[in-house]
Amino acid sequence: MMFEDLHHVQLLCPPGGEGEAREFYAGVLGMTELEKPPVLAARGGCWFRAGGWEVHISPVPSFTPEKKAHPGVLVNGLDLLAERLEAAGHPVEWDPHFPGHRRLYAHDAHGNRLEFLEKI
């Protein structure tokens, strides 16, 4: 068995939270929204893709944001991303403790933790 690549990360939102997810993932991060297959679209939620990562947002009735668990996303232009996040009202927390990388944490529109890294 060989692992090839990460296909997607699933994050949760409250019911009806797709609009805020679109504003954050498509608007702030500039990701492309994907069309979900009809059988899955009926369940709600939304999917986004950019570069080598995909995020699937799914509504759940008992939503609680992830404060510790998170996807770690490699990016180019970490400073520009930090500026975009801050300008959109999403504060960033810089963390210098990952060898060979600069990194920051931010939270999406529903409070889910995200880690963005850039190789030094």
Side-chain angles (χ1 to χ4, degrees):
M1 177 177 68
M2 290 289 260
F3 293 106
E4 292 183 23
D5 206 348
L6 178 66
H7 184 272
H8 70 273
V9 173
Q10 181 173 346
L11 298 175
L12 305 178
C13 73
E18 292 89 347
E20 291 92 347
R22 287 181 177 97
E23 289 174 13
F24 182 79
Y25 289 96
V28 176
L29 297 185
M31 298 178 81
T32 300
E33 184 169 358
L34 305 174
E35 185 174 337
K36 293 178 67 173
V39 68
L40 298 177
R43 300 177 187 172
C46 40
W47 295 356
F48 303 91
R49 179 185 298 145
W53 80 299
E54 206 169 285
V55 61
H56 296 181
I57 307 296
S58 297
V60 294
S62 58
F63 170 73
T64 301
E66 288 295 335
K67 299 295 184 184
K68 185 72 174 169
H70 60 272
V73 183
L74 283 172
V75 301
N76 288 314
L78 190 62
D79 292 316
L80 178 59
L81 175 60
E83 290 173 15
R84 288 184 70 164
L85 287 163
E86 296 262 344
H90 299 275
V92 301
E93 175 188 343
W94 290 93
D95 183 348
H97 304 292
F98 197 91
H101 296 78
R102 296 174 61 230
R103 74 174 173 173
L104 63 81
Y105 293 101
H107 293 87
D108 72 7
H110 300 107
N112 293 304
R113 188 178 196 205
L114 304 170
E115 176 181 345
F116 296 99
L117 307 99
E118 183 174 49
K119 292 181 183 179
I120 297 176

